[in-house]
Amino acid sequence: MLLIPCPWCGPRNQIEFTYGGDATLKRPPADAPVEAWFEFVYLRDNPCGPHDELWLHSAGCRRWVKVRRDTRTHDILASARPDQALPGGET
Amino acid sequence: MTQPHRLAAGGIVDRSRTLGFSFDGAAYEGHPGDTLASALLANGVHLIGRSFKYHRPRGIVTAGADEPNALVQLAHGARTEPNTRATQQELYHGLVADSQNRWPSLSFDIGALNDVFSPLFPAGFYYKTFMWPPGPRWWLKYEHAIRRAAGLGRAAREPDPDHYQHRFAHCDVLVIGGGPAGLAAAQAAARCGARVMLCDENATFGGSLRGDATLIDGTPAASWVDAGIGDLAANGDVTLLPRTTAFGYYDQNLIGLVERVADHLAEPPPFTPRQRLWHVRAGTVVLASGALERGIAYAGNDRPGTMLAGAAQAYVTCYGVKPGTRAVIFANNDSAYEAAVRLHDAGVSIAAIADARPEAALSGDHPQRARAAGVAILPGTAIVRAHGGLRVAGVDLASLQGGAARRIDCDLVCVSGGWNPAVHLYSQSRGKLRYDDALATFVPDASPQSIVAAGAANGKIDLSAVLANGHDAGLAAAARSGFAARTAQSAPTTAAVSTGPLQALWSVPSRRSAKCFVDWQNDVTVADIALAAREGYRSVEHLKRYTTLGMGTDQGKTANILGLALLAAELGVSIPQVGTTTFRPPYTPVTMGALAGHEVGATLEPTRYSAMHDWHVEHGARMLNAGLWKRPHSYPRPGESEDDAANREAKNVRSNVGAVDVSTLGKIELQGRDVAEFLNRVYINRWDTLAVGRCRYGVMLRDDGMVFDDGTTSRLSTTHYVMTTTTLNAVNVMQHLEYLLQVEWPELEVFATSVTEQWAGAALAGPKARQVLAALVSIDVSNAAFPFLAVGECELIAGGARIPARLFRMSYSGELAYEIHVPVTHGRAMWEAVMAAGEPFGIMPYGTEAMSTLRIEKGHVVIGPEADGRTTADDLGLGKLVSPAKWCIGKPLLARPALTAPERWQLVGLTAIDGTIPRGGKLVADPGQATPTPMLGHVSSWCWSPNLDASIGLALLERGRARHGDTLWAVSPLADARVRVRVGPPCFIDPEGERLRV
């Protein structure tokens, strides 16, 4: 079970969180072509190594947080509020 | 005489008290402090069970968690437990144990014929033998017979009467193992001020020091342990957990412990769990789990009375039991000589010590002591064969250089092939292991997690080195959490012992047909490993799966290193080149009960009750589950069926008035400057036009364009809205809104708060609803003052009380209807007031079944049956709600060609022409057509309509809106039903919506 550092609550057990998917996706503007929406909704990378993800602290403060997790080792490398950048930019 | 093999003194057993127990129906006695194994040995019982495959008689091999053979069926009835290690089960008065895998009795077992015919059962014989005839049918027949012949104990067939707890804990230093290294580590870390947890799988701390008289810091070891534990117990920052096994090591230093709270008792005392599962987050783990001894494979090395030398020593020093009267020791290292001296001192006659090593290697302190005690030592010698059936009777000894064998009679054989550090948890922490040539085994190297191995688990053999290493590990672990030594600390000391080198020896050559066991539990022999290597199973993982090496309940603790060393020899490569199989949790078996904790039965998940729940039950409601909620299905009267009750309730709504509990709907308060803009983005329809005091139906899509949820949102003031969601989607919608507000559009000023639990709700529906309501609320509810889709805050008069309420004029049933929401504490008072006010008008409560009937009659879709994740708003006939004037979530992808194709399945209504529409029916044009019959659609909802006197349904049908008036067949091959149905529009009653606007 992962130990996830919530930027508001501190380190908390994974059971308090809900996984929210890829944090690096950018929602296209409203007038974007259908191809851009197709990419946003359906296409996902499956990175090997550090990956930025969204998690909802659903059984805690109910804040969405960005978490950088190494998909090979489960190491949690960093976390941040959604409006803040993780150190070193996107991964 | 009882306990003929009990020593007069020594060990941790309390001889002043006697405990009675039975094994295979025979009565025996033991003492507090005994394990079942030590008590059986005290009574001279060595034959404990039959082996898994060959049904060979087996005895007690070890004194701990590594036991492969002494597995028993413990207790009877609901508390019976199979495969209990007799070497770990504490003795209690009245304990009942039975041997396993034998019939008709342990000493005469028909299954032992397997041993005679063993040439027929080589490794992988399943795969070779049961290949014919082809197909799974025959395998199922074979498997049935195999399962009966093989296997160990039997699981309980009754519900578990005990309960189990989970606990979460944090500490700076978790010390796993309370032997010399663990105690030294815990004391060092605690003196630095760190929060320390110390767990040990045994009932008392001390590990190998239990009952031992070796001097540590000038004190006998057992007293040194007691004093150390006393100091730790007095420290408020230290948690001591005896009877607790660390079974798993997980991410970010989470360690799973299972505490056997009451397994040393016949049954748990009241209000006490049987076991407790600890989830411990440790700053640093000190792994002081000790080392597990390994055997040497020779012909007949499984005869009862054959034991690892360290185990024999433990039975003498820790339990005060003589495991035999005349022993032969077989070793390749010095540790067995310490065991020999202890046995000798306890009065066991040592017939000989056969040592694989040459004379020159026998200069260590322990061999010297054995020599001084007058024990015969035979260098360069091995056991080539054991004699005996149900108990070992003698061994043939021969020089490893060859030559004639000579027989020595004995009733105990003690074997030591060296020691393997218990690296299981280190490996689980993703720690790397390193092969140590001197120890001929794998030792901890480096781990990415914060874990320090100490003592025997770290490859230290001599007690003085173990204590020093444990002390250093404790200091290092405390320092990692920022705790430095407060005063100068020195490690506990004891006299150093000089030790000669170990000489690796895995097996003794023997005749090919002789069985030299590597894995005692799964009956894997040296020949099986050679066969696997010959047949191409060259990877250790393949060897494991082909031979089942290490796949028993002991996970090969005594067997694995032996097996992979033999594989390396077969392949002509080094042992580190072969490597180890993966160590996985659990270290020893964990009960399902401990893993489940309290999440069983009624407490598997939370149950949600509306404020009116008790009223429903008191008035005869049949309750059903809706997600976590309990909801009334219907309110059958005496002698009335549930279906008849639901039909009566549905009919009464259309003719008089009914009330239904809608407290379970999701309710979300939305406040802020930008709520209208936010709603425009999440719903398909327009919201900037909604006036204060009005409500509106809305549909939400997922980003892929499919319908996600529906409900209403009401505007209470310019900046205050309240949204309802479906009961089952309340959590998902809230999460969706929070995601959008926090991640996507933080610039919008909208605050979303779930208030589902804070408001109780009732829907009042039927032509007489207004008359009932007029007597109840403080505001004018005439059609002019409070028209369809009006919303207002008011007071509800309930007896003498005035309850603040929100009133909504909206309709799900298609009748004139209102929803009344009140703070949840007033829910029951509101409900009773509604029922009292409605009584003169013939009000009846109605449940979810009548509610469903009313909405099917009205053609309203439900999230799930109709909006099944594959349907668009247009499929459901809601396409005109999609506002062309604005963007919303899911709208861009609605433009995809497949989502606008004319052959899409569309919502229609069905009426049965004859018969009843079958549950889950499929729609076809001609049921007599050859299969596969093209499916045109499926029935999504169906009911008997008491208002139309017909069997009706809703369906998703290919080109459905173009088929109104057609006749199709609804078929269900499962129910063997085929019914002709007429296709029509989904709304059966009042399609113009006049009733709800009156």
Side-chain angles (χ1 to χ4, degrees):
Chain A
M1 185 164 19
L2 300 176
L3 187 66
I4 298 174
C6 173
W8 284 274
C9 309
R12 296 300 174 110
N13 258 341
Q14 182 184 346
I15 50 170
E16 295 181 16
F17 291 83
T18 305
Y19 184 65
D22 191 340
T24 64
L25 294 170
K26 293 272 181 297
R27 181 170 287 271
D31 56 357
V34 71
E35 290 77 16
W37 284 99
F38 177 80
E39 195 166 316
F40 170 71
V41 171
Y42 291 107
L43 299 188
R44 294 290 181 276
D45 287 335
N46 183 15
C48 176
H51 184 226
D52 293 355
E53 302 169 333
L54 286 168
W55 291 76
L56 170 64
H57 196 187
S58 45
C61 63
R62 292 207 68 88
R63 290 275 133 188
W64 285 86
V65 299
K66 278 192 211 168
V67 176
R68 179 167 298 160
R69 180 178 65 98
D70 191 314
T71 59
R72 295 164 304 185
T73 62
H74 273 339
D75 287 340
I76 305 289
L77 306 169
S79 69
R81 295 156 42 161
D83 56 346
Q84 291 175 334
L86 286 161
E90 254 174 30
T91 308
Chain B
M1 178 189 167
T2 59
Q3 304 188 48
H5 298 268
R6 180 76 68 184
L7 296 166
I12 59 168
V13 293
D14 174 7
R15 289 178 178 76
S16 68
R17 284 167 56 210
T18 298
L19 305 175
F21 70 101
S22 81
F23 176 65
D24 272 350
Y28 299 102
E29 286 180 348
H31 296 301
D34 263 328
T35 62
L36 175 57
S38 70
L40 286 167
L41 290 173
N43 290 281
V45 179
H46 278 255
L47 176 62
I48 306 296
R50 289 277 172 168
S51 71
F52 184 77
K53 183 170 163 186
Y54 299 126
H55 288 248
R56 284 170 69 102
R58 291 288 166 82
I60 296 162
V61 178
T62 74
D66 44 347
E67 178 57 40
N69 280 160
L71 308 180
V72 299
Q73 183 86 32
L74 190 72
H76 291 153
R79 285 197 169 88
T80 192
E81 185 172 271
N83 309 338
T84 303
R85 289 172 302 289
T87 51
Q88 288 199 294
Q89 174 60 46
E90 285 179 59
L91 193 68
Y92 54 80
H93 188 69
L95 181 148
V96 175
D98 291 294
S99 57
Q100 302 184 153
N101 203 28
R102 82 287 187 271
W103 185 85
S105 78
L106 183 54
S107 52
F108 179 76
D109 174 26
I110 295 288
L113 285 171
N114 280 7
D115 195 24
V116 177
F117 295 112
S118 63
L120 302 178
F121 307 128
F125 86 102
Y126 281 20
Y127 311 120
K128 293 166 179 162
T129 311
F130 300 109
M131 297 292 288
W132 194 91
R137 205 158 57 86
W138 282 94
W139 168 249
L140 292 176
K141 286 188 194 301
Y142 293 136
E143 190 185 28
H144 185 67
I146 294 166
R147 291 269 179 265
R148 273 163 53 108
L152 296 168
R154 299 191 189 287
R157 304 188 72 92
E158 296 155 49
D160 191 337
D162 297 324
H163 72 105
Y164 302 79
Q165 277 182 353
H166 281 199
R167 244 187 105 165
F168 293 78
H170 300 80
C171 62
D172 298 311
V173 180
L174 169 66
V175 181
I176 296 171
L183 272 175
Q187 286 176 314
R191 284 190 197 126
C192 296
R195 284 175 306 158
V196 175
M197 294 180 77
L198 171 62
C199 69
D200 190 279
E201 61 190 359
N202 295 307
T204 48
F205 289 96
S208 61
L209 302 180
R210 290 173 300 160
D212 194 273
T214 309
L215 296 180
I216 298 176
D217 289 343
T219 315
S223 313
W224 178 81
V225 170
D226 291 343
I229 290 296
D231 285 349
L232 290 169
N235 183 334
D237 286 332
V238 174
T239 306
L240 294 176
L241 292 170
R243 299 188 173 108
T244 303
T245 300
F247 65 83
Y249 203 117
Y250 304 92
D251 294 310
Q252 281 101 44
N253 261 30
L254 178 76
I255 293 87
L257 314 178
V258 63
E259 180 186 2
R260 288 172 293 277
V261 180
D263 279 356
H264 61 296
L265 305 168
E267 60 182 75
F271 311 110
T272 304
R274 178 187 165 208
Q275 296 179 346
R276 185 178 288 125
L277 191 81
W278 291 74
H279 306 238
V280 180
R281 286 274 179 200
T284 298
V285 169
V286 175
L287 184 68
S289 46
L292 303 172
E293 201 166 17
R294 57 179 185 252
I296 300 168
Y298 60 86
N301 62 334
D302 64 326
R303 290 299 173 206
T306 307
M307 197 176 271
L308 293 168
Q313 179 178 336
Y315 285 117
V316 170
T317 55
C318 180
Y319 300 105
V321 169
K322 274 201 300 188
T325 54
R326 183 176 159 85
V328 170
I329 314 268
F330 180 25
N332 66 346
N333 69 92
D334 276 12
S335 72
Y337 288 84
E338 187 179 5
V341 171
R342 302 286 177 106
L343 288 164
H344 173 81
D345 291 349
V348 178
S349 156
I350 308 295
I353 300 180
D355 196 319
R357 298 175 294 174
E359 175 67 40
L362 308 184
S363 58
D365 288 347
H366 287 305
Q368 296 299 344
R369 278 174 209 159
R371 214 182 293 273
V375 174
I377 299 173
L378 307 172
T381 304
I383 298 179
V384 292
R385 186 179 167 204
H387 299 278
L390 301 181
R391 176 84 185 260
V392 66
V395 293
D396 289 348
L397 298 180
S399 163
L400 279 166
Q401 262 61 51
R406 70 182 173 102
R407 175 169 172 154
I408 296 185
D409 289 343
C410 61
D411 63 357
L412 175 66
V413 178
C414 302
V415 185
S416 179
W419 293 80
N420 304 319
V423 295
H424 305 67
L425 290 162
Y426 198 88
S427 183
Q428 288 176 27
S429 81
R430 291 186 278 125
K432 293 273 176 287
L433 305 177
R434 170 175 60 79
Y435 189 75
D436 184 311
D437 282 314
L439 298 172
T441 191
F442 290 90
V443 296
D445 187 11
S447 172
Q449 301 217 46
S450 191
I451 177 171
V452 185
N458 196 28
K460 307 295 178 198
I461 299 291
D462 178 44
L463 180 59
S464 63
V466 165
L467 289 166
N469 192 227
H471 177 79
D472 291 347
L475 290 181
R480 286 195 196 178
S481 290
F483 296 92
R486 289 170 175 172
T487 55
Q489 289 191 29
S490 56
T493 55
T494 185
V497 174
S498 95
T499 306
L502 169 147
Q503 176 184 312
L505 178 67
W506 311 108
S507 67
V508 179
S510 66
R511 284 182 300 121
R512 189 150 177 177
S513 63
K515 287 200 188 65
C516 309
F517 285 95
V518 176
D519 183 331
W520 281 295
Q521 185 167 122
N522 275 358
D523 278 355
V524 180
T525 64
V526 174
D528 289 331
I529 289 169
L531 179 75
R534 274 204 308 282
E535 293 187 348
Y537 296 91
R538 305 169 71 86
S539 149
V540 65
E541 294 287 358
H542 292 162
L543 172 79
K544 167 182 162 180
R545 284 153 181 78
Y546 193 57
T547 62
T548 71
L549 172 76
M551 288 171 68
T553 63
D554 65 338
Q555 290 284 287
K557 289 185 179 63
T558 53
N560 284 345
I561 302 287
L562 218 58
L564 61 93
L566 291 167
L567 178 66
E570 288 290 332
L571 301 177
V573 300
S574 72
I575 291 170
Q577 277 177 285
V578 169
T580 63
T581 54
T582 307
F583 292 91
R584 295 192 185 87
Y587 176 67
T588 47
V590 178
T591 59
M592 298 302 285
L595 295 173
H598 279 154
E599 291 178 13
V600 291
T603 49
L604 175 65
E605 54 187 5
T607 305
R608 302 174 78 178
Y609 298 102
S610 101
M612 290 85 95
H613 178 82
D614 291 347
W615 190 95
H616 302 318
V617 172
E618 288 160 21
H619 289 76
R622 216 268 290 168
M623 306 302 290
L624 56 70
N625 297 332
L628 299 177
W629 289 97
K630 296 284 180 194
R631 297 195 75 177
H633 168 276
S634 54
Y635 300 80
R637 291 173 174 171
E640 191 180 38
S641 76
E642 286 170 12
D643 285 348
D644 289 347
N647 288 337
R648 166 178 55 74
E649 291 163 14
K651 208 163 177 169
N652 190 58
V653 170
R654 299 230 186 271
S655 53
N656 288 312
V657 59
V660 61
D661 185 348
V662 293
S663 302
T664 61
L665 290 177
K667 296 177 277 291
I668 299 170
E669 298 253 345
L670 298 167
Q671 300 205 48
R673 195 178 53 218
D674 299 318
V675 176
E677 170 61 19
F678 182 57
L679 294 174
N680 263 349
R681 296 185 192 184
V682 298
Y683 278 130
I684 58 175
N685 42 342
R686 276 190 79 164
W687 291 83
D688 47 339
T689 52
L690 184 71
V692 172
R694 303 287 294 170
C695 68
R696 186 168 284 175
Y697 172 76
V699 174
M700 290 182 196
L701 308 182
R702 307 187 310 215
D703 265 314
D704 66 358
M706 301 302 161
V707 171
F708 169 39
D709 199 58
D710 68 350
T712 61
T713 292
S714 306
R715 191 170 190 181
L716 301 178
S717 79
T718 51
T719 57
H720 186 185
Y721 295 68
V722 57
M723 171 187 282
T724 64
T725 74
T726 58
T727 296
L728 298 182
N729 255 344
V731 170
N732 297 335
V733 171
M734 184 66 193
Q735 184 172 321
H736 175 64
L737 301 184
E738 287 173 322
Y739 163 77
L740 294 171
L741 290 170
Q742 293 175 29
V743 180
E744 298 288 5
W745 306 317
E747 70 279 7
L748 293 184
E749 189 200 272
V750 178
F751 300 91
T753 309
S754 169
V755 293
T756 304
E757 297 283 348
Q758 279 68 33
W759 293 84
L764 188 62
K768 296 175 184 168
R770 182 178 293 123
Q771 289 160 272
V772 176
L773 194 66
L776 272 173
V777 295
S778 59
I779 58 172
D780 179 3
V781 291
S782 67
N783 200 34
F786 203 76
F788 183 56
L789 298 178
V791 173
E793 290 178 304
C794 63
E795 285 180 327
L796 185 111
I797 298 119
R802 297 172 77 86
I803 301 170
R806 289 174 180 170
L807 190 63
F808 308 82
R809 185 166 167 196
M810 54 177 81
S811 176
Y812 191 49
S813 57
E815 299 299 321
L816 169 66
Y818 302 85
E819 271 187 33
I820 309 162
H821 290 189
V822 298
V824 70
T825 48
H826 299 294
R828 179 156 181 161
M830 173 270 286
W831 182 263
E832 288 180 343
V834 168
M835 297 311 292
E839 198 177 359
F841 304 97
I843 196 169
M844 293 178 193
Y846 65 100
T848 53
E849 190 61 23
M851 188 172 77
S852 176
T853 297
L854 294 166
R855 72 98 189 163
I856 294 171
E857 289 175 345
K858 196 60 192 166
H860 287 317
V861 297
V862 165
I863 305 299
E866 281 82 32
D868 61 6
R870 299 174 295 177
T871 45
T872 65
D874 186 61
D875 297 339
L876 300 175
L878 301 168
K880 62 182 182 302
L881 282 183
V882 182
S883 167
K886 67 172 184 78
W887 177 90
C888 74
I889 284 183
K891 190 174 172 187
L893 287 182
L894 284 179
R896 285 178 290 170
L899 298 193
T900 51
E903 63 270 20
R904 283 193 70 77
W905 289 14
Q906 295 163 336
L907 184 76
V908 295
L910 302 177
T911 309
I913 295 171
D914 41 30
T916 303
I917 295 175
R919 166 188 294 260
K922 309 297 171 200
L923 297 176
V924 298
D926 174 8
Q929 213 175 335
T931 53
T933 317
M935 186 169 87
L936 302 175
H938 70 85
V939 181
S940 54
S941 299
W942 58 95
C943 70
W944 175 258
S945 166
N947 296 296
L948 302 168
D949 264 336
S951 167
I952 62 168
L954 299 177
L956 291 161
L957 175 63
E958 185 185 302
R959 299 173 196 271
R961 284 198 285 273
R963 291 186 195 261
H964 290 183
D966 289 5
T967 298
L968 295 172
W969 290 81
V971 300
S972 169
L974 275 179
D976 197 21
R978 50 173 71 178
V979 174
R980 279 198 303 156
V981 292
R982 183 165 299 117
V983 179
C987 183
F988 295 86
I989 287 192
D990 185 26
E992 305 305 320
E994 287 166 0
R995 296 189 189 186
L996 44 81
R997 289 188 171 81
V998 295

